[in-house]
Amino acid sequence: MGTNNNLSEQEIASLTYSDPIAYTSFQDYLKLIGEETVNEAREKMRSLRFFPVYYNDTANVMYLLYSMPDKLQEIRNFHQDHLHIPIKYIRVPDTTLNSFIIHFLSEAVPVTATLEVETLPDYQKPEIVKLKEALINEAIDMHASDIHVEIHGARGIVLYRVNGILRPHYEERRERIISLIRSFINDAKLDTIDLVKPQNGSMQHFYMGKIYPIRLNVIGTFSGGYNENPTAVLRILYQDVERKMESLGFEQEQLELFKKMADREGIIIVTGPTGSGKTTTLYALLDWFNTEGKKVVSIEDPPEIIKENMVQISVQPQRGITWETALQNMMRMDPDIILIGEIRDRFAAEAAMQAAITGHTVLTTMHTQNVETVVERFRQLAGEESDVVNPHTIAYHLVGMVSQRLVTKIRIARLTFYDELVRQNPDLLKKLYNFDIGIRGAESRFPPEKIRFWLEDPLKLPDTTVTNETTYKGYDMTPNGRTVIAEVVYNDADLSEAIKQGEPKVIREYLNSLDNHLTLIDHAILKVQRGEISIEDVLHRI
């Protein structure tokens, strides 16, 4: 048991999961901790982020790697109760620690006979399957929205996007990461040979008694002299997330506008960039509609939220279900309420408007930067010659518009005064000025005639020194760690007159003339002043 090799702490910190010393020490640890505590110890390694990497039986000392300083006392307390030998702790980056966790603590994958394993393709070998399963499981545990798998030269890296923030999670040599990508591709029933051509597919992942649909996108890239580097992005679709309008971050006066929309027939359009929560808002809003005795039909690519009591059509070109054929057959299903995942072309634009004209309620999304360009974009997609989509039909049948972004909440804030802010981010003042934002106490730096919004000094900004499993640079990494900033517009008789002119400038001038109307930046500033979100994050999102 143990090893007589006397390693320095620097050498111990440099050990990898494939080192025989690490394997031997892990087995020694499990024996020393006691059979009745083994399962608890394994769970503690995952949650508290530590690993027994080196046991010197000559000195009878166990060395543990750890990555989160705020968990160290809990780690000490656990081992004081269960491991009665001296322990030394060495801090390492979480990506380093994670390689041990994945390798040693993943659920075992059934292994066939050795000869059969040797003949398997690389992406079906047990160690790759084990790695794939562990990475997806950990992403789900962290409530990551996306897994990014990239090749950079001779190395590959896996990153998780948690609450909009992309963080490195695992690093390996190029060949192993390519095998990992092939394994994902195989699960999605795509081509595992040609890793350069663009491919899109989907799969399902079973974890902790639940099924998680996953969308996969793969394309070849160039890096480090290699011409055939695949890069993959996996979008995890969570079906058990609570989606209530009241919990998304809208202000009370905005919720009142949504209630008005729910009482009318016509089109409701939510705009914003990819990942801004548009679909979540639509489904949450759908719950406000009285659907008793009504048929609800959705057309999406694919449905991201599985919902009972509605008919959900998934676009599947390989099976003849294209956007066009789905929209053509939509009205034959006798719907009352229709959810169209996105208006992306002439056919979708005219189908949505035709449904509204014939007395249906249509909820949909569109890619525009703000609400005032919705009318212009709607007409561009339909074509200027369209008889169905024009300023007058839009003015009459458009019920409401929403422009939104998702911003990560501040979990741990610190007061930052103007002078310190300038030292930390000298470019911030210019960015603020571009958005007509100034800081109280520094009026001389911001010409008053140009400024529409004032931030109080000091500002509540994320404490960038704090990083742990629930906090990343002061930001909230829990499942509810993001909030919406939005401009919500209800179309009344006065706005309809502005819409008929079809000019974004006219629509914006009308909205700015309204009392107590929250624009996107108004809503953002309101939440910044309350210390809920960071002004730096806001400027990045809008």
Side-chain angles (χ1 to χ4, degrees):
M1 187 168 75
T3 176
N4 291 316
N5 296 332
N6 291 314
L7 302 182
S8 67
E9 290 196 4
Q10 184 176 356
E11 291 172 320
I12 295 170
S14 300
L15 291 172
T16 67
Y17 67 82
S18 60
D19 197 300
I21 292 176
Y23 174 80
T24 302
S25 298
F26 179 64
Q27 298 303 317
D28 291 341
Y29 174 87
L30 297 181
K31 293 175 184 176
L32 290 166
I33 202 76
E35 185 176 346
E36 68 282 357
T37 315
V38 164
N39 289 336
E40 183 181 1
R42 287 175 174 271
E43 289 305 314
K44 293 289 185 183
M45 286 184 221
R46 292 189 184 95
S47 61
L48 301 181
R49 312 299 290 171
F50 70 86
F51 185 81
V53 71
Y54 174 61
Y55 176 53
N56 187 327
D57 60 351
T58 302
N60 195 31
V61 175
M62 180 69 72
Y63 289 81
L64 300 186
L65 302 181
Y66 75 100
S67 64
M68 296 182 176
D70 63 316
K71 300 293 184 183
L72 184 56
Q73 190 56 51
E74 290 183 67
I75 298 172
R76 291 182 189 275
N77 293 342
F78 174 73
H79 289 98
Q80 284 174 359
D81 294 336
H82 300 290
L83 193 64
H84 305 295
I85 63 171
I87 303 174
K88 292 191 176 182
Y89 300 91
I90 301 173
R91 185 180 177 185
V92 295
D94 195 62
T95 50
T96 299
L97 180 70
N98 203 52
S99 63
F100 290 94
I101 300 292
I102 289 176
H103 187 76
F104 286 95
L105 298 178
S106 302
E107 293 298 324
V109 176
V111 179
T112 54
T114 304
L115 288 177
E116 293 179 7
V117 171
E118 291 301 319
T119 63
L120 287 172
D122 60 343
Y123 55 86
Q124 290 183 354
K125 290 184 177 179
E127 63 270 20
I128 297 299
V129 175
K130 185 177 179 181
L131 174 62
K132 174 190 65 183
E133 297 286 322
L135 286 170
I136 297 177
N137 292 347
E138 284 205 320
I140 293 171
D141 287 339
M142 296 174 66
H143 212 82
S145 59
D146 303 89
I147 303 172
H148 291 237
V149 189
E150 302 173 357
I151 308 292
H152 299 287
R155 305 292 292 175
I157 187 170
V158 178
L159 307 96
Y160 291 165
R161 187 179 296 282
V162 182
N163 284 346
I165 299 175
L166 196 60
R167 293 190 287 166
H169 188 74
Y170 177 75
E171 187 174 321
E172 254 290 2
R173 64 185 187 276
R174 177 179 183 272
E175 291 73 21
R176 189 175 175 88
I177 293 296
I178 289 179
S179 296
L180 175 67
I181 292 175
R182 286 188 196 274
S183 189
F184 289 133
I185 293 173
N186 182 63
D187 287 351
K189 296 180 173 57
L190 301 175
D191 185 356
T192 59
I193 304 301
D194 188 348
L195 301 183
V196 175
K197 68 181 180 184
Q199 298 191 78
N200 299 285
S202 61
M203 65 188 84
Q204 290 188 328
H205 182 76
F206 185 79
Y207 179 55
M208 299 292 285
K210 296 179 181 178
I211 295 176
Y212 294 86
I214 297 176
R215 290 193 327 215
L216 174 69
N217 176 268
V218 182
I219 193 170
T221 62
F222 176 86
S223 175
Y226 297 96
N227 283 313
E228 297 188 1
N229 286 327
T231 185
V233 177
L234 294 86
R235 168 66 57 89
I236 304 173
L237 307 178
Y238 296 88
Q239 305 304 322
D240 57 350
V241 178
E242 182 182 3
R243 296 173 177 89
K244 301 291 184 183
M245 289 299 294
E246 297 87 348
S247 64
L248 298 182
F250 293 103
E251 302 299 317
Q252 186 58 44
E253 55 265 43
Q254 294 176 322
L255 294 176
E256 294 300 324
L257 296 176
F258 280 118
K259 289 178 182 177
K260 290 183 179 181
M261 295 181 201
D263 291 334
R264 284 179 54 184
E265 295 171 346
I267 303 176
I268 299 172
I269 299 176
V270 181
T271 76
T274 300
S276 59
K278 299 187 294 295
T279 302
T280 298
T281 296
L282 286 184
Y283 271 89
L285 180 58
L286 186 60
D287 287 338
W288 279 18
F289 284 80
N290 179 13
T291 57
E292 185 177 354
K294 295 181 179 180
K295 185 164 187 174
V296 183
V297 176
S298 78
I299 301 173
E300 300 172 78
D301 183 20
E304 294 188 17
I305 300 170
I306 308 303
K307 191 172 179 64
E308 297 180 359
N309 303 321
M310 66 181 290
V311 175
Q312 295 180 284
I313 301 172
S314 177
V315 174
Q316 303 176 68
Q318 69 276 16
R319 305 186 69 176
I321 306 177
T322 63
W323 275 102
E324 188 166 336
T325 57
L327 289 164
Q328 283 174 336
N329 287 275
M330 170 183 68
M331 297 304 293
R332 298 172 190 168
M333 303 188 72
D334 190 27
D336 298 289
I337 300 173
I338 301 165
L339 192 153
I340 300 175
E342 180 187 348
I343 294 181
R344 57 176 65 186
D345 57 23
R346 177 194 63 81
F347 203 92
E350 292 196 337
M353 182 57 72
Q354 194 64 56
I357 291 172
T358 52
H360 298 80
T361 297
V362 180
L363 299 101
T364 188
T365 72
M366 187 182 292
H367 280 284
T368 65
Q369 288 297 311
N370 42 55
V371 292
E372 63 262 31
T373 55
V374 165
V375 175
E376 183 179 61
R377 181 61 178 155
F378 208 162
R379 294 185 64 197
Q380 287 174 350
L381 290 169
E384 294 294 329
E385 71 284 356
S386 174
D387 294 328
V388 179
V389 180
N390 56 60
H392 288 272
T393 57
I394 296 174
Y396 188 76
H397 295 288
L398 180 64
V399 173
M401 303 176 283
V402 183
S403 175
Q404 69 177 59
R405 308 288 189 274
L406 285 181
V407 183
T408 308
K409 294 180 183 177
I410 296 175
R411 186 177 182 87
I412 300 177
R414 63 188 295 267
L415 294 179
T416 305
F417 288 88
Y418 172 80
D419 291 340
E420 182 182 356
L421 184 66
V422 174
R423 287 196 303 270
Q424 290 179 354
N425 190 348
D427 292 333
L428 181 60
L429 297 183
K430 183 178 179 181
K431 294 177 182 177
L432 291 173
Y433 184 80
N434 289 338
F435 283 94
D436 302 336
I437 303 171
I439 300 176
R440 292 288 185 195
E443 285 87 349
S444 62
R445 299 292 303 274
F446 301 95
E449 69 277 4
K450 175 74 167 65
I451 301 305
R452 291 183 56 222
F453 312 96
W454 289 99
L455 297 173
E456 298 300 323
D457 186 29
L459 282 82
K460 295 177 182 178
L461 295 180
D463 188 341
T464 57
T465 65
V466 180
T467 301
N468 55 48
E469 61 182 355
T470 58
T471 307
Y472 181 71
K473 293 187 176 180
Y475 287 105
D476 189 349
M477 291 292 104
T478 63
N480 296 316
R482 285 201 287 178
T483 187
V484 73
I485 55 173
E487 180 172 13
V488 181
V489 177
Y490 175 73
N491 186 18
D492 57 17
D494 292 331
L495 178 56
S496 291
E497 291 303 314
I499 289 175
K500 287 177 184 177
Q501 298 184 49
E503 294 292 333
K505 183 179 179 181
V506 175
I507 296 172
R508 174 46 59 196
E509 287 175 350
Y510 170 76
L511 294 174
N512 287 343
S513 71
L514 297 176
D515 293 333
N516 302 318
H517 174 71
L518 284 178
T519 65
L520 193 67
I521 190 68
D522 284 328
H523 196 196
I525 294 296
L526 190 64
K527 292 194 171 188
V528 168
Q529 298 285 34
R530 294 198 298 239
E532 298 175 14
I533 59 178
S534 167
I535 185 60
E536 295 171 302
D537 199 21
V538 167
L539 297 180
H540 174 67
R541 301 294 172 192
I542 63 176

